[in-house]
């Protein structure tokens, strides 16, 4: 397994904090802060697409 470099947590008020990480094999990871051993993984391109779609409002119905 490659070494994951985790970003600082993204936290909402009264909500769980999420962390995004990457490795040198072009993989991206999302985990709950404090539970980084259990993560969701995909390619960095998939993470880019997810972030772009969220910024474009495609997940607003979840708010």
């Amino acid at each position: 397994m490659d070494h994951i470099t985790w970003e600082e947590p993204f936290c909402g008020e009264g909500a769980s904090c999420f962390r995004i990480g990457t490795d040198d094999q072009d993989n991206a990871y999302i985990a709950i802060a404090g539970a980084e051993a259990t993560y969701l993984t995909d390619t960095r391109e998939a993470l880019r697409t997810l972030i772009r779609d969220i910024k474009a409002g495609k997940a607003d119905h979840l708010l």
Side-chain angles (χ1 to χ4, degrees):
M1 180 175 166
D2 295 299
H3 174 74
I4 301 170
T5 302
W6 293 102
E7 298 290 325
E8 290 298 315
F10 295 92
C11 301
E13 280 189 45
S16 297
C17 297
F18 293 92
R19 296 189 78 182
I20 295 175
T22 57
D23 67 19
D24 60 357
Q25 299 297 310
D26 208 32
N27 297 307
Y29 304 82
I30 300 174
I32 295 173
E36 288 83 357
T38 305
Y39 52 77
L40 172 71
T41 186
D42 206 325
T43 64
R44 287 187 192 198
E45 183 55 37
L47 177 61
R48 283 184 203 100
T49 300
L50 174 67
I51 292 169
R52 286 184 190 124
D53 285 351
I54 289 171
K55 289 174 75 175
K58 292 183 180 180
D60 286 357
H61 64 283
L62 300 172
L63 300 175

